[in-house]
Structures are given as structure tokens and as C-alpha cells.
């Protein structure tokens, strides 16, 4: 059996040596004019062959961080004075609202005083075209990127605008697949969350009901929702069902894949598709009152739950941030399921603009934000799990406001699913969701929706 590391292990070790040497050089731990250890010593330190170490050092030469001096060694480049590098970071509003990023960027600035980070709020709508414009103009150097928007960029052939990344072995390995295409990695995971069920413990107790468990079916949820409504007057279960982070879960649980017609279009008239969506609608309408459109986005469900106008919601760990000040006891549980126990995994990553003129500093920022110190702080101050497994372990031991079953996300990893399993582009799925609004309200039947989709 060969002792040669596989590709994943090789990439991980390459990422470690580049990240650590780059950080030590830029921060001044390795002073300008000093020499790196020999390639043999570096190979032993990072468990790499001399040939692999040499390849890694070539990256640092290309970045201008070291100079190869024949028969002498690898010298840290001497620069008269490092100019101030200004990098622009595109950020989702939800990340800014957590209130953690500003502190992390302040720490980054203290660690690397020659780099200043300016944040730019990214739009949720028309994401691929908006980001493409930012990248084309060189307006962004690094930006947050979730797996749904990544699928959008992949389908619109924009991934060539992103710099390829090497995996960090300290991050949860299951997160990386959300940012791979063609065997290449285009973003580094930062935070993540599955979609889960959140419930009001006090309402369950007042209604004499047993709390949800991992084996719950959607019928059991509906029975409890009806009982809560009858005994307390509170709407039993609510979800912003038209969201791309909600109704596709029912398709994933049924192992549904969108079919194609002979002309290449999606077969939205497939009876199996509508059987699943009708079951989903019956879940919403089976609580005694028609579900009015009570929310304009996913966060609307958390608002209704916080105001005790509903007893259960579909939410994420990101959404739990909105429940920090509630006056009642609540907890989380795996989503109920039909055929399969599946839930969507939502991942936020960090990507670098391949055309950035500050690529070196942008890489440094990504490495810092996904490193153990920043990830520990992120996990400690935010309810959304951080991508760094070791940092999460340490921070979770500290006091954290939130549900008692906070570690649930660790138990349901096998249930994590992705949009790619549906075999439909995000653009087409979004267009489909826009046509479903009246269907969800019970004001239209599938034939009307199908007719519009056929144009």
C-alpha cells in the first residue's frame, strides 16, 4: 500500500503550509530578509515531500512574499515599506445583523495594520448579475457566498471569476461539497445551519402534548398543531412556505428530481410533483383556518413565533438569533419527515475575486475569518454554528443563550441535503416558486400554475 497522500490530503496540507507561512511573513513573525527553514525541514514539519514543499513555495514567490536565492535558500522579500492595502468585502445583510463581523474585522486590522477592510452590503435579489458586475469592475475583493447563490453562479457560468481555494482540514469536511464544481473548490466555509423545527415548550405543556422527537411525521405535527389551536387559540404551525429554503425540503424528503421534456424544459406538469406539493398545502390548511400570507420572508415566521402567535415554525440557527430575548421556553427538533429524514443545509462561505488587485490581502482575510481564533469568537457570540470544528467544540462549552438541544445539528448530519439533488437550476426553481403563491393560499389549482409556466 502506497504511503503517498491522496488528493484531498495533499490539498489540505498545501493549504496549511501556505496559510501559516503567508500569515507569519505578512504579520512580521518572519522578518523581512530572514530565511525560511530548508525544504527538508519544512517537509518534515508539514508532512510533505520536498517536491510538494517546493511547489508550495512557488506560490509564495508568485505572490512576492519570498525570493528564491540559488544555493542559499528562500528569503522573505525585503520591501521598503508595505503600502496600505484596502480591500472591499461584500457581506450579506444577515451576516452584518449578527453583530459579530465588525468585531472580527477590527481584530483583523489590529493583527494586520497594513490592511484596511471596507464592507459593502450585498443584495439578495438578482444575485448573479449583481455580483458579476461587482467582480467585473474590481469593486469586490472578497465576499460572502451561500450554497444557493453558488449554484446560481455555477449555472450562469460565472465560477471562473472566483479564485480556486484549497481545503482547510480543520473545517467540517461535509461543508466543502457545497462549493465544489468540476472537482474544484471555489469558496471556504464560514458558517452553516440546517433547517430545523422550533417549538414553544410552554404551549406544548399547556396543551398536554409530548414534545417533538426525531421520528416525527408531518401527520403527527399536524395533529399537534390542531390540538394547540383548539386548546390555546394559538396557530399551531407556520412556515414561510414559498421560500426556496422551505418548500424544496418536501421534495427532497420524497427524493423527487425534476424531469425534462424533449425540448429541454422542466416538466412542471409531472403529477408526482403536484402530489407532493398538495400534501404540503394540506399540512398548512389542515389547522382549521386558511394560512394567510403572514410573512414576506423567512424571518417573518420567527417574528410570529416570538410574539406567540404560532407554536411551531420551520427555522434555522441563523433565525434563532431573533429569539434571544423571548420570555418563554422554546427548543428545537429535527424536521418531521415523510419518505426520508432530509433537511436543507445552508452554508455561508467566503470567496475571493480572481481579478482582485489585492488578492494577497483578500486571501489573508479569508484565512483569518476561518481560522480558529475568529471562528471561536463567531461560535461564542452567534447561534449559527461556525465551520471550524475545533473552535465550535471549545466555544460550545461556554455559556450560550439558546435552546437546550443546541447541539442537534451534530446529530442530524446524515440528513443534510442540497438543492443539487433536485436536478433543477436555482433560477428555474425560483421562477417556479413565484408562480406558487396563489396555489399555497388555496386560490389556484395546479392546472393554472402549469398553464402560466408553459407560457
Amino acid at each position: 500500500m502506497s504511503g503517498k497522500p491522496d488528493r484531498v490530503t495533499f490539498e489540505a496540507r498545501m493549504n496549511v503550509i501556505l496559510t501559516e507561512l503567508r500569515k507569519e511573513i505578512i504579520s512580521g513573525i518572519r522578518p523581512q530578509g530572514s530565511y525560511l527553514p530548508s525544504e527538508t525541514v519544512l517537509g518534515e514539519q508539514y508532512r510533505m515531500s520536498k517536491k510538494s514543499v517546493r511547489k508550495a513555495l512557488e506560490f509564495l514567490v508568485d505572490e512576492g512574499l519570498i525570493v528564491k536565492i540559488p544555493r542559499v535558500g528562500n528569503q522573505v522579500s525585503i520591501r521598503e515599506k508595505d503600502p496600505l492595502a484596502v480591500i472591499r468585502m461584500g457581506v450579506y445583510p444577515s451576516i452584518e445583523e449578527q453583530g459579530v463581523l465588525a468585531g472580527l474585522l477590527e481584530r483583523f486590522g489590529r493583527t494586520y495594520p497594513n490592511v484596511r477592510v471596507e464592507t459593502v452590503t450585498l443584495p439578495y435579489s438578482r444575485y448573479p448579475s449583481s455580483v458579476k458586475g461587482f467582480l467585473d469592475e474590481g469593486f469586490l475583493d472578497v465576499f460572502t457566498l451561500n450554497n444557493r447563490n453558488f449554484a446560481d453562479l455555477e449555472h450562469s457560468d460565472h465560477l471562473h471569476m472566483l479564485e480556486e481555494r484549497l481545503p482547510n482540514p480543520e473545517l467540517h469536511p461535509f461543508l466543502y461539497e457545497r462549493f465544489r464544481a468540476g472537482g474544484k473548490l471555489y469558496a471556504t466555509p464560514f458558517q452553516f445551519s440546517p433547517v430545523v423545527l422550533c417549538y414553544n415548550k410552554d404551549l406544548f405543556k399547556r396543551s398536554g402534548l409530548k414534545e417533538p422527537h426525531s421520528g416525527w411525521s408531518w401527520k403527527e405535527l399536524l395533529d399537534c398543531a390542531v390540538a394547540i389551536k383548539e386548546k390555546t387559540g394559538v396557530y399551531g404551525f407556520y412556515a414561510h412556505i414559498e421560500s426556496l429554503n422551505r418548500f424544496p425540503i418536501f421534495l427532497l424528503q420524497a427524493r423527487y428530481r425534476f424531469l425534462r421534456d424533449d425540448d429541454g424544459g422542466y416538466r412542471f406538469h409531472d403529477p408526482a410533483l403536484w402530489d407532493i406539493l398538495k400534501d404540503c398545502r394540506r399540512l398548512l390548511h389542515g389547522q382549521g383556518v386558511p394560512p394567510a400570507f403572514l410573512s414576506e420572508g423567512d424571518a417573518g415566521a420567527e417574528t410570529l413565533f416570538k410574539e406567540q402567535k404560532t407554536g411551531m415554525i420551520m427555522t434555522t440557527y441563523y433565525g434563532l438569533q431573533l429569539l434571544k430575548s423571548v420570555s418563554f421556553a422554546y427548543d428545537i427538533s429535527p424536521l418531521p419527515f415523510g419518505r426520508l429524514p432530509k433537511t436543507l443545509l445552508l452554508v455561508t462561505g467566503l470567496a475571493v475575486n480572481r481579478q482582485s488587485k489585492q488578492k494577497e490581502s483578500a486571501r489573508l482575510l479569508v484565512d483569518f475569518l476561518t481560522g480558529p481564533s475568529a471562528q471561536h469568537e463567531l461560535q461564542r457570540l452567534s447561534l449559527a454554528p461556525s465551520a471550524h470544528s475545533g473552535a465550535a467544540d471549545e466555544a460550545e462549552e461556554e455559556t450560550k443563550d439558546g435552546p437546550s438541544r443546541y447541539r442537534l445539528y451534530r446529530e442530524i448530519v446524515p440528513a443534510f441535503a442540497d438543492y443539487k439533488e433536485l436536478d433543477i437550476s436555482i433560477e428555474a426553481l425560483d421562477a417556479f416558486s413565484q408562480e406558487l403563491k396563489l396555489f399555497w393560499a388555496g386560490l389556484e389549482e395546479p392546472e393554472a400554475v402549469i398553464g402560466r409556466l408553459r407560457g
Side-chain angles (χ1 to χ4, degrees), residues 6-19:
D6 58 28
R7 180 183 173 186
V8 174
T9 302
F10 170 77
E11 288 181 343
R13 292 177 184 174
M14 181 74 77
N15 180 73
V16 170
I17 188 173
L18 284 173
T19 299

Side-chain angles (χ1 to χ4, degrees), residues 362-374:
R363 293 190 197 106
L364 200 64
L365 177 61
V366 172
D367 292 341
F368 176 85
L369 291 177
T370 57
S373 178

Side-chain angles (χ1 to χ4, degrees), residues 38 69 97 288 336 441 444:
S38 70
I69 300 178
E97 289 164 5
E444 272 189 352

Side-chain angles (χ1 to χ4, degrees), residues 195-229:
V195 180
V196 296
L197 182 72
C198 182
Y199 61 96
N200 185 320
K201 292 169 67 74
D202 292 348
L203 280 179
F204 269 76
K205 185 174 182 180
R206 283 164 50 193
S207 303
L209 299 170
K210 293 182 179 180
E211 295 182 14
H213 55 78
S214 60
W216 246 29
S217 67
W218 287 108
K219 183 182 183 305
E220 287 175 290
L221 177 140
L222 178 57
D223 290 343
C224 278
V226 171
I228 289 172
K229 179 69 173 62

Side-chain angles (χ1 to χ4, degrees), residues 135-360:
L135 298 180
D136 276 339
E137 298 298 324
F139 188 69
L140 291 180
D141 301 291
V142 61
F143 60 102
T144 54
L145 176 68
N146 64 33
N147 50 316
R148 190 172 91 194
N149 290 148
F150 178 81
D152 243 343
L153 292 176
E154 180 181 7
H155 182 259
S156 57
D157 295 325
H158 290 156
L159 291 184
H160 66 279
M161 306 183 75
L162 310 184
E163 183 183 56
E164 294 175 30
R165 301 288 297 164
L166 291 172
N168 180 343
E170 296 180 333
L171 305 187
H172 291 295
F174 59 83
L175 301 177
Y176 279 112
E177 294 311 307
R178 273 57 185 181
F179 299 119
R180 285 189 190 276
K184 298 177 180 178
L185 180 66
Y186 290 96
T188 303
F190 177 65
Q191 275 185 309
F192 70 97
S193 173
V195 180
V196 296
L197 182 72
C198 182
Y199 61 96
N200 185 320
K201 292 169 67 74
D202 292 348
L203 280 179
F204 269 76
K205 185 174 182 180
R206 283 164 50 193
S207 303
L209 299 170
K210 293 182 179 180
E211 295 182 14
H213 55 78
S214 60
W216 246 29
S217 67
W218 287 108
K219 183 182 183 305
E220 287 175 290
L221 177 140
L222 178 57
D223 290 343
C224 278
V226 171
I228 289 172
K229 179 69 173 62
E230 291 176 348
K231 295 179 180 181
T232 69
V234 176
Y235 198 73
F237 169 72
Y238 183 78
H240 186 66
I241 200 64
E242 65 192 75
S243 166
L244 291 191
N245 293 339
R246 300 295 183 266
F247 83 85
I249 293 173
F250 293 87
L251 302 177
L252 290 166
Q253 290 189 351
R255 197 177 282 171
Y256 184 81
R257 291 178 179 271
F258 281 85
L259 304 175
R260 295 276 192 145
D261 286 321
D262 293 338
D263 61 2
Y266 293 102
R267 195 178 299 176
F268 291 116
H269 58 280
D270 180 16
L273 170 63
W274 291 100
D275 285 344
I276 298 167
L277 297 181
K278 285 179 181 178
D279 285 343
C280 180
R281 186 172 69 174
R282 279 192 285 270
L283 173 68
L284 299 175
H285 285 252
Q287 301 178 59
V289 293
F293 285 104
L294 301 177
S295 57
E296 296 181 358
D298 291 335
E302 284 80 6
T303 300
L304 292 172
F305 184 79
K306 187 174 182 178
E307 295 173 352
Q308 299 194 68
K309 293 178 180 176
T310 184
M312 295 178 283
I313 58 172
M314 290 172 71
T315 187
T316 63
Y317 282 77
Y318 299 123
L320 296 181
Q321 291 288 124
L322 302 174
L323 306 180
K324 280 191 169 184
S325 60
V326 296
S327 58
F328 55 90
Y330 76 94
D331 218 327
I332 57 175
S333 172
L335 287 181
F337 62 94
R339 181 177 175 185
L340 294 171
K342 291 280 189 179
T343 187
L344 266 174
L345 174 63
L346 310 179
V347 187
T348 301
L350 299 172
V352 174
N353 182 358
R354 180 171 288 181
Q355 302 302 319
S356 170
K357 295 180 180 179
Q358 302 291 347
K359 208 181 297 185
E360 178 185 304

